[in-house]
């Protein structure tokens, strides 16, 4: 959701910058630089707002991904201790648990980046789908006449 909002405002700002650059002569002639720049900066402020939210969510997911293996190991050891005398905490159990959770550490840590990639893929997929489903813009094309001929005179092709 944050990525989609961020991309909406980014598209609006880029579109406005393209309009600004395409019509720079007209904008300079009528001295509209300040109002246009103010609109571009407003769009940029909205874009930064949503980009910051997106970055915060990504940062929190990375922190959780890094801390999850350690918390899982701690929770496992606490569960062993709380079970009582029949399942005492021995060196064999601690090292076995540590080996298992060490083997699972990297897949668990990569889970956050995989989720971020899936969200980015989902957003891109929808944006491309919207682009492909949109109707084509009518581009004016000059008609070619059949009776036109090419005349070359005083030419040298050497």
């Amino acid at each position: 959701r944050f990525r989609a909002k961020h991309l909406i405002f980014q598209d609006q700002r880029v579109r406005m910058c393209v309009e600004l650059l395409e019509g720079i002569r007209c904008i300079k002639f009528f001295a509209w630089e300040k109002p246009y720049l103010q609109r571009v900066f407003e769009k940029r402020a909205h874009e930064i707002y949503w980009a910051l939210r997106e970055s915060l969510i990504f940062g929190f997911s990375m922190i959780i991904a890094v801390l999850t293996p350690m918390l899982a190991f701690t929770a496992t050891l606490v569960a062993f201790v709380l079970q009582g005398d029949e399942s005492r905490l021995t060196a064999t159990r601690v090292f076995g648990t540590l080996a298992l959770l060490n083997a699972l550490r990297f897949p668990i840590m990569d889970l956050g980046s995989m989720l971020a990639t899936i969200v980015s893929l989902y957003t891109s997929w929808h944006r491309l789908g919207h682009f492909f489903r949109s109707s084509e813009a009518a581009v004016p094309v000059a008609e070619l006449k059949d009776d036109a001929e090419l005349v070359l005179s005083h030419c040298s092709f050497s």
Side-chain angles (χ1 to χ4, degrees):
R1 188 180 82 172
F2 292 108
R3 178 87 177 141
K5 289 279 192 177
H6 173 212
L7 291 176
I8 288 170
F9 287 107
Q10 183 179 13
D11 289 345
Q12 290 175 356
R13 181 187 56 83
V14 169
R15 195 174 306 122
M16 189 172 292
C17 288
V18 168
E19 288 175 10
L20 180 90
L21 292 174
E22 287 176 349
I24 194 71
R25 287 186 182 170
C26 182
I27 290 170
K28 287 284 193 183
F29 182 75
F30 290 109
W32 290 340
E33 297 100 340
K34 288 184 182 178
Y36 260 88
L37 283 176
Q38 183 180 4
R39 289 177 55 199
V40 168
F41 289 146
E42 287 173 4
K43 296 291 182 189
R44 181 69 180 146
H46 287 296
E47 179 187 354
I48 288 173
Y49 174 83
W50 288 104
L52 180 65
R53 298 300 179 269
E54 179 184 354
S55 296
L56 286 174
I57 295 296
F58 182 75
F60 284 133
S61 68
M62 288 295 110
I63 288 171
I64 289 171
V66 169
L67 291 178
T68 300
M70 184 175 43
L71 293 175
F73 180 67
T74 305
T76 305
L77 291 181
V78 168
F80 273 129
V81 169
L82 292 178
Q83 282 185 353
D85 286 337
E86 63 270 358
S87 61
R88 286 185 297 160
L89 196 59
T90 62
T92 309
R93 285 190 180 164
V94 171
F95 287 121
T97 306
L98 183 60
L100 174 66
L101 291 176
N102 250 349
L104 294 175
R105 184 176 70 199
F106 290 112
I108 292 172
M109 286 175 59
D110 284 342
L111 185 64
S113 62
M114 284 190 290
L115 289 175
T117 304
I118 289 170
V119 167
S120 181
L121 176 69
Y122 177 79
T123 304
S124 299
W125 185 263
H126 280 286
R127 287 169 56 91
L128 284 172
H130 177 71
F131 175 75
F132 288 136
R133 283 190 301 271
S134 63
S135 61
E136 291 187 27
V139 178
V141 178
E143 291 185 30
L144 297 175
K145 297 181 181 176
D146 291 335
D147 58 353
E149 61 184 43
L150 179 65
V151 177
L152 302 173
S153 61
H154 308 292
C155 299
S156 172
F157 296 105
S158 58

